Amino acid sequence: MLHVAEAARVSVATVSALINGTATVSPELSARIEQAIRDIGYKRNAIARSLKMGTTRTIGLTVPHITNPFFTDVVSVIQQAFDRAGYAVMLCCTDEDLNTQDDQIRLLLDRMVDGLIVARVGDGALLRGIVEDANVPVVLLDRTLEGVDTDAVVLDNQSAVFDAITYLINLGHRRIAYITGTSDISTMGDRMAGYREALQAAGLPVSPELIRSGNFHEIDGYNATMQLLSLHERPSAIFSANNPMVIGTMKAIRDIGLSCPEDISVACFDDFPWSDVFQPQLTTVAQPVQAIGEQAANLLLDRLAGNRDAPPRKLVLKGRLMIRNSCRPLGAVVQGVTA
Amino acid sequence: MLHVAEAARVSVATVSALINGTATVSPELSARIEQAIRDIGYKRNAIARSLKMGTTRTIGLTVPHITNPFFTDVVSVIQQAFDRAGYAVMLCCTDEDLNTQDDQIRLLLDRMVDGLIVARVGDGALLRGIVEDANVPVVLLDRTLEGVDTDAVVLDNQSAVFDAITYLINLGHRRIAYITGTSDISTMGDRMAGYREALQAAGLPVSPELIRSGNFHEIDGYNATMQLLSLHERPSAIFSANNPMVIGTMKAIRDIGLSCPEDISVACFDDFPWSDVFQPQLTTVAQPVQAIGEQAANLLLDRLAGNRDAPPRKLVLKGRLMIRNSCRPLGAVVQGVTA
DNA sequence: AACGCTAATCTAAACGTTTCGATCCTGTCA
DNA sequence: TGACAGGATCGAAACGTTTAGATTAGCGTT
């Protein structure tokens, strides 16, 4: 900018005024300055600007795993929304690990992000502190945090799972296994509650042997399913509370020589883009990813626009049960054999 | 830092020296300063630091679509690699659109990223200029750019597709359709070349009616497949040069009432994490995503570590044909009926 | 006792912006 | 004719660091 000012024989203040439109500058100087900008190929230094202005027009986004299609989609939507608003987004993957998450949040804060969207992991004392300091607005995505009062957009997990389990019950299933993630995550607790509620509403027992938990990865779903399938009395249906784990479930079913839905019914949380193309077509609880991403972005953009003092807003969206062909009615006895 | 200095009754220079270890500071002052840092809860302002140092320890990463599983995986690997090195990554999705890409690259450059990893789109005069200016190192990912000499990691697309098409030919297929992305992308040209080469090597004609192109989206694959399946003489196999488009292909096959592989064989570029679990299990060309992401990260990290003058390095990795059951041998007549 | 050397510390400039307040014109009005 | 208003322009400080070079203190040498 100094060079531009010199070339145009004006002060830097005038250049700044022209660029930002913060004051009127005469046509002749404008012309000279614009010419100089073109000649020099000047680009404003956003770092210097950020230092002075105290804002980076950059936000931080952390998710447990970007390869989980749910998060992939949400990240995509959020990125687009902020891109439209002229914000950059720094993406971090916490790998379901609290320490990693803390490191990454610190990294983001160091870089003075204007706001944070966090699909949290673990308990998060750090996160709690940030929200309380209230220097940078935080919106919680997908997973709330007990006792932390800040903007959030989540799914009504309990009723979504309630609907799915009830659907299985109505198909005639009685022994319905449930594979969950680690219990410190709000979504997992809520989903489990939906499972229990549905069983109880139908007068069915909740047997601990049918409930397995893992750390959200495919391998965890695989191991859990292996255990379930080797029970003396095998479940007739499995519900997986998490998307990557259901892949493990399907692999275990295949490896053990069974097939879905003939031998065992499967349903899971989170829809796949291709779920109605390949067999079995999985029955899933679809989250409104587009809406979730957009709402989260809007909540944060609203704070960034200056609306700092409004009370925390919590948006609860509804899931939708996508019924396909991975669950079979138990009334009719189907001779299940596939190639 | 000023407050810390005052509280510890030292100069800011001493505080800086201690924090960065750039000079020895006496034990007593160190203690006072550390105490003050703790008391105040001081965090170094990375923006001010960046301004002074001329480095942000942040890189920019642009991909066409993060929802394409290939890019999802690569993004994930790259993010992890830079995270380990203490870098933040700004992610942008260009949506296969040149203008969007240019806007986003400008956004990243404005923010003074130290380097750029670009899975480019379109012709990219802007990109060309950046590489020539050589201010910020650029590594091209997945797609090279004609006449632009910079680090790159790509697949040997031609031989990968050659292998896949040859496999189909060996199964007895003669009318093999090919669905490609837009031709300005290097990968697409190379893949197409592999297709032609394989046909010619087998003495088969390359018929234009069997070649369709689209803009990488599912819907493009759908439309292309619809056209192919309504040809007077239908192809017996379809190869899709891009991952999302093959979903469209499968949907079109389903909608038209055919089934794979009984009525038509399908293979495609890019593996899915779940491809060996659901039916049909797609035969794919798997890219070594882990290696691609890591190599790209390493190339850039090496430049960032100061190795600026080394000549451009181009890494060419090999794909791997994952043979599953979505392509059937044409010799044996299989009575194809599925539920 | 004067000197120089080293290690520790400090002062102040610089990075590239934004912005407040001052200055300088030009023209209008009493 | 002089005062003044208002618009255009500028000078300089500030944002929070890093760092070159100056200063100081302590100590051994001669």
Side-chain angles (χ1 to χ4, degrees), chain A residues 11-92:
Chain A
S11 76
V12 289
T14 309
V15 177
S16 177
L18 176 65
I19 290 176
N20 299 305
T22 51
T24 51
V25 3
S26 70
E28 51 223 309
L29 288 206
S30 297
R32 287 221 302 271
I33 294 170
E34 274 159 6
Q35 184 60 46
I37 287 178
R38 250 173 284 123
D39 289 350
I40 297 183
Y42 166 77
K43 296 246 59 186
R44 176 168 68 188
N45 182 324
I47 296 295
R49 178 165 223 261
S50 291
L51 177 60
K52 185 65 188 168
M53 307 281 279
T55 166
T56 52
R57 289 192 82 77
T58 299
I59 67 130
L61 171 60
T62 83
V63 296
H65 281 123
I66 197 188
T67 50
N68 176 330
F70 167 67
F71 289 119
T72 308
D73 286 351
V74 171
V75 166
S76 177
V77 173
I78 290 177
Q79 202 277 325
Q80 281 171 38
F82 280 97
D83 195 55
R84 274 196 300 274
Y87 278 80
V89 0
M90 293 201 190
L91 175 71
C92 293

Side-chain angles (χ1 to χ4, degrees), chain B residues 118-138:
Chain B
V118 177
R120 73 159 182 107
V121 134
D123 177 43
L126 177 66
L127 209 46
R128 203 177 297 266
I130 294 165
V131 170
E132 280 163 9
D133 285 359
N135 275 330
V136 356
V138 175

